Amino acid sequence: MRSSSLPEHQRPTILVVEDEAPLLTLLRYNLEKQGFRVEEATDGPEALLKVNEAKPDLMLLDWMLPAMSGLEVCRQLRRRPETRDLPIIMVTARTEEADAVRALDTGADDHIGKPFTIEALLARIRAVMRRAAGPTTKGALIWQDVSMDRDAHRATRGGRNLHLGPTEYRLLEFFLQHPGRVFSREQLLDAVWGRDIHVELRTVDVHIRRLRKALNGDNDTDVIRTVRSAGYALDVQ
């Protein structure tokens, strides 16, 4: 749905990070035509500066950039609490499946390969922005029979109160925000503990075991899936 009838300050802002001038011009034209407000950056450092000045609603980020790669821009944004949930779509000329996985593992919400049609890009933008909008209930995160009331700082499974320590609570909150997605120990450390705190990787395993114990009753299905050599996900085996 187009939102061009909205005042400019109310339109969703997309930061397009792209060093190819013709493509940048094409993207700006088509995105503005669909009612988006567009900001531009042509390299990684400029992109980070733009985000610091004003956080966009979504970032369209090219992988191959001068000075700093799109992957590194994504990593840095995911390390910051204020941009941890910024929707990012990675644009790449790489077509190998491993490259797509790498983009997602770095923290991108989605990716699209060059060349692409504007229609396909717009569909991905809308889908990512819908996901980023989160649950309709303010303060609540819900997945299957697991729910979290963040206003009351309480979590339940099947109506049963979960007794969680502070770290287990933050782990569950993060998993509930990204159900089904596999995260490595390093990504969980960045997301839950933060980059400024030195924590051994095995510490993640300890807290995962504690979270499992709290989540899974005698007759409950284990909803924390371990993916060998990859990490963990909130998912049914």
Side-chain angles (χ1 to χ4, degrees):
M1 182 176 66
R2 298 186 183 187
S3 53
S4 55
S5 60
L6 292 172
E8 184 175 354
H9 70 278
Q10 293 183 12
R11 299 177 190 177
T13 300
I14 296 180
L15 174 59
V16 181
V17 188
E18 173 59 64
D19 64 324
E20 296 180 22
L23 180 55
L24 189 57
T25 301
L26 179 66
L27 290 171
R28 171 181 278 280
Y29 171 78
N30 282 281
L31 292 172
E32 288 182 342
K33 186 178 177 182
Q34 291 295 317
F36 295 104
R37 183 170 173 270
V38 177
E39 294 291 336
E40 299 177 356
T42 57
D43 59 39
E46 184 183 8
L48 294 173
L49 182 61
K50 289 268 189 178
V51 172
N52 287 339
E53 292 173 349
K55 183 180 174 182
D57 294 287
L58 182 141
M59 176 184 282
L60 197 59
L61 178 62
D62 189 30
W63 182 316
M64 303 297 291
L65 291 170
M68 179 187 296
S69 73
L71 285 180
E72 182 57 30
V73 172
C74 189
R75 285 193 193 97
Q76 291 200 24
L77 291 172
R78 290 301 183 238
R79 291 168 184 166
R80 304 175 183 176
E82 62 272 17
T83 55
R84 191 167 290 157
D85 298 322
L86 172 64
I88 298 174
I89 298 178
M90 190 80 73
V91 180
T92 174
R94 298 168 179 259
T95 57
E96 295 295 326
E97 182 180 354
D99 293 319
V101 171
R102 188 178 175 197
L104 295 173
D105 281 346
T106 302
D109 297 279
D110 202 352
H111 66 93
I112 189 167
K114 297 179 182 179
F116 53 82
T117 65
I118 293 298
E119 291 76 13
L121 176 62
L122 289 171
R124 289 179 181 271
I125 288 173
R126 294 186 188 106
V128 169
M129 293 186 82
R130 280 197 302 270
R131 295 198 297 269
T136 55
T137 304
K138 184 179 179 182
L141 294 172
I142 303 171
W143 179 80
Q144 296 197 9
D145 63 345
V146 181
S147 63
M148 176 176 284
D149 182 343
R150 290 182 287 183
D151 293 329
H153 203 79
R154 182 173 61 238
T156 63
R157 182 175 186 190
R160 172 175 59 88
N161 286 331
L162 302 178
H163 301 288
L164 304 172
T167 301
E168 288 75 49
Y169 183 93
R170 292 197 299 271
L171 268 173
L172 179 59
E173 181 181 30
F174 184 69
F175 278 132
L176 284 169
Q177 290 172 325
H178 309 279
R181 185 169 163 189
V182 178
F183 291 94
S184 67
R185 293 183 181 91
E186 291 88 349
Q187 290 171 317
L188 290 172
L189 281 176
D190 286 353
V192 175
W193 281 263
R195 291 289 298 179
D196 297 333
I197 301 175
H198 176 71
V199 180
E200 295 293 335
L201 289 179
R202 301 299 296 180
T203 302
V204 176
D205 300 329
V206 173
H207 288 283
I208 290 290
R209 284 198 298 271
R210 292 177 181 171
L211 178 57
R212 267 200 176 109
K213 184 177 180 180
L215 275 171
N216 303 325
D218 293 337
N219 299 316
D220 291 329
T221 302
D222 188 359
V223 293
I224 302 294
R225 180 164 62 95
T226 301
V227 182
R228 183 173 295 181
S229 302
Y232 301 99
L234 182 68
D235 199 3
V236 178
Q237 297 284 356

